[in-house]
Amino acid sequence: MKFQARLTNLVATVVLLVTPLIGICQPPPPDQGGGNPEVPFDNNMNLIFLAAGILFAVIITVRQLRKRASATA
């Protein structure tokens, strides 16, 4: 493997490992003295976004599997 490819893999790995740390370093919630209390998102909205994302992933996966099955048949 070339040096440049190894370096690219190393940088990608480091970035993916550091990303959760950046997500944890968010300001405290509004009830603890931080953030903006006028933001329209709440816990239910986050669940709706999660459900929409999962539904979208399932739809795309099914489409790809059908496309692959029809191409091989």
Side-chain angles (χ1 to χ4, degrees):
M1 194 179 220
K2 292 183 179 181
F3 176 73
Q4 186 176 5
R6 286 186 182 187
L7 184 62
T8 303
N9 287 340
L10 177 67
V11 169
T13 302
V14 169
V15 167
L16 290 174
L17 289 174
V18 171
T19 303
L21 296 175
I22 295 171
I24 292 171
C25 299
Q26 298 296 317
D31 59 344
Q32 294 179 2
N36 186 357
E38 294 138 9
V39 176
F41 299 117
D42 58 355
N43 290 337
N44 294 334
M45 184 69 86
N46 290 336
L47 291 175
I48 291 171
F49 285 140
L50 176 65
I54 291 172
L55 180 66
F56 180 72
V58 168
I59 290 171
I60 296 299
T61 304
V62 168
R63 281 186 186 176
Q64 288 180 348
L65 289 175
R66 285 184 183 170
K67 185 185 246 184
R68 187 177 298 160
S70 66
T72 58

